[in-house]
Amino acid sequence: MTTRSHHTGLAVIAVFKVVKGLLLLLLGLGLLKLVHAEIATLFSLLIADSRLIHELVLKVDALQPHSVLLAGFVSLGYATMLLVEGVGLWLELTWAAYLTVVSTSLLLPFELYEVIERVSMLRVGVLLLNLIIVLYLVSQLKRHTLRSRTHLPRHDSVA
């Protein structure tokens, strides 16, 4: 019987993707629920004397139901992809690393644009984190340390 340990980097990325996916799933479900609720009524209890909350209520109330519905579906779709990536990376599957490299790389130009438009520590941090994730996964793919679904780990025996 052999025990298999996770690559620490892959496990960290997998957990990050799953947590992010779960948060987006909650957001998406919340947005879909807002489509059926009276948005202004929902937030009216929170208004009190807060000017900031009042402005937020006005902005949310101004959203068209189809925009909220679309944002909910986009959030659910992206959450699904993140959860698939996270589980696949946890299982150290090659296709999950490729999917994560492609999906994360596609966002890098937009993140760079955001940093150029307005530099902030958060924006720079997100850009660097995603760049590190891509570079790490590419290095793992080059080393062939991940498993494909059709190939089981080899057990070399001395005969």
Side-chain angles (χ1 to χ4, degrees), residues 28-151:
L29 292 173
L31 288 171
L32 292 179
K33 187 175 181 177
L34 282 178
V35 170
H36 299 293
E38 184 64 44
I39 296 173
T41 305
L42 182 66
F43 287 107
S44 65
L45 299 173
L46 301 174
I47 291 178
D49 291 326
S50 173
R51 185 174 167 211
L52 179 65
I53 293 177
H54 181 68
E55 288 177 25
L56 175 66
V57 169
L58 292 176
K59 287 185 189 241
V60 170
D61 192 39
L63 293 175
Q64 298 296 319
H66 68 276
S67 297
V68 176
L69 184 66
L70 179 62
F73 283 132
V74 168
S75 180
L76 290 176
Y78 190 46
T80 301
M81 187 178 71
L82 289 170
L83 292 170
V84 167
E85 287 176 0
V87 170
L89 289 172
W90 183 262
L91 297 174
E92 298 181 4
L93 298 172
T94 303
W95 62 261
Y98 279 112
L99 177 62
T100 304
V101 166
V102 170
S103 66
T104 305
S105 294
L106 288 173
L107 296 176
L108 290 175
F110 298 104
E111 291 168 357
L112 181 61
Y113 174 78
E114 289 293 319
V115 168
I116 292 170
E117 279 294 303
R118 197 173 101 218
V119 177
S120 74
M121 291 301 290
L122 179 63
R123 290 177 180 194
V124 171
V126 168
L127 176 63
L128 289 176
L129 177 64
N130 285 329
L131 190 57
I132 289 167
I133 288 171
V134 168
L135 293 174
Y136 176 79
L137 291 175
V138 167
S139 74
Q140 293 300 306
L141 287 165
K142 283 183 178 180
R143 288 189 203 147
H144 304 288
T145 57
L146 302 171
R147 300 181 292 153
S148 69
R149 189 172 177 95
T150 58
H151 296 92

